[in-house]
Amino acid sequence: MPQEFAPGLVLQDFTPPLDLSQYKLIAFDMDSTLINIECVDEIADAAGRKAEVAAITEAAMRGEITDYKDSLRQRVALLKGVTVAHMEQVYNERLQLNPGAAELVAACQAAGLKVLLVSGGFTFFTDRIRARLGIDFARSNVLEVVDGVLTGRMVDQPWGDICDGEEKRRTLLEVSTLMGIPASQTIAMGDGANDLPMMGVAGLSVAYHAKPRVRAQAKVAINQGGLDRLLELQA
């Protein structure tokens, strides 16, 4: 049975204390986990399609849409015509790190963990967040741009076409293998249904202000406060 360790900090299948030194890698989702927005929804605002895109995003995150790749293609198609200048505006004016994000990343790095950012979002944003937080590895999707304008398509990458839930899982395992560690020495944090595959193979899964299905399956759920509340589980 889940138990509330402290207000808004629920333990489903985890007994403190947390010893970060037992882990070697922490993987974060980006949108609504490390940062405060769903970037695709905010980009769509420029095209006057935010409500339409946000409804698809919400259904995908709840797990009501089983084909994440198709749902993302639908949303990206609706971004056609949006300029790179508008995406810059989203980054500069709307995007913020979630509370405790920088603190948790720094604490993990101080404990010797490598950090992975793996997102169903876009490199335009993940590249900036990676640099801002000093993240070691990142994987996300590439929006096709022609003459400073989105085409409504994504660009295939050497590892595949779209970073969906299965690709998040595969990436976590791939990085673990590269580091020479078992998946049991990894932590995965996310909020949506497409995070469940990587959370399912990690040694410690953490839901952050997550959808009900994700909260129910995570070992730890942070339902109030910042990401760094995970550190409250340390001795």
Side-chain angles (χ1 to χ4, degrees):
M1 291 290 292
Q3 61 176 10
E4 195 163 45
F5 178 81
L9 187 59
V10 177
L11 309 184
Q12 178 89 11
D13 183 22
F14 183 78
T15 303
L18 169 66
D19 181 359
L20 283 178
S21 68
Q22 292 183 350
Y23 300 93
K24 302 300 180 187
L25 174 69
I26 184 165
F28 291 97
D29 168 52
M30 183 178 70
D31 295 59
S32 297
T33 301
L34 269 186
I35 65 173
N36 64 320
I37 60 172
E38 292 286 338
C39 292
V40 67
D41 298 355
E42 301 306 319
I43 299 169
D45 201 17
R49 293 169 172 161
K50 183 174 180 178
E52 185 178 354
V53 169
I56 301 172
T57 299
E58 177 70 11
M61 292 304 98
R62 287 185 173 276
E64 295 163 3
I65 294 176
T66 54
D67 190 337
Y68 179 86
K69 288 188 178 183
D70 185 58
S71 82
L72 187 58
R73 289 190 187 100
Q74 287 179 40
R75 285 175 283 166
V76 169
L78 293 169
L79 304 182
K80 183 177 180 180
V82 174
T83 65
V84 170
H86 178 76
M87 293 200 294
E88 290 282 2
Q89 190 176 359
V90 169
Y91 180 78
N92 291 322
E93 298 179 9
R94 303 190 186 190
L95 185 154
Q96 297 175 10
L97 293 176
N98 269 330
E103 291 81 359
L104 178 58
V105 169
C108 288
Q109 290 170 329
L113 282 75
K114 296 294 186 182
V115 182
L116 165 66
L117 174 56
V118 59
S119 172
F122 310 113
T123 53
F124 183 90
F125 300 100
T126 57
D127 287 352
R128 288 162 169 77
I129 298 300
R130 178 180 183 176
R132 190 164 163 182
L133 293 176
I135 289 172
D136 301 284
F137 310 100
R139 179 162 292 177
S140 59
N141 303 301
V142 177
L143 291 168
E144 185 179 68
V145 177
V146 175
D147 297 327
V149 176
L150 299 185
T151 66
R153 295 185 296 271
M154 287 171 284
V155 179
D156 287 355
Q157 297 180 73
W159 48 261
D161 54 356
I162 290 175
C163 188
D164 60 354
E166 182 52 36
E167 183 59 30
K168 288 188 175 194
R169 174 185 175 277
R170 199 183 72 78
T171 301
L172 184 144
L173 295 175
E174 176 185 313
V175 174
S176 301
T177 300
L178 286 172
M179 292 177 61
I181 63 169
S184 59
Q185 289 186 312
T186 69
I187 302 171
M189 297 189 71
D191 73 294
N194 64 326
D195 297 314
L196 285 171
M198 72 169 178
M199 291 170 69
V201 296
L204 176 60
S205 55
V206 184
Y208 179 71
H209 292 237
K211 304 305 181 190
R213 181 177 163 196
V214 182
R215 289 200 306 267
Q217 295 186 43
K219 292 184 176 181
V220 175
I222 300 170
N223 300 325
Q224 298 174 22
L227 285 153
D228 57 344
R229 291 208 65 193
L230 182 65
L231 302 176
E232 293 178 26
L233 299 177
Q234 296 182 106

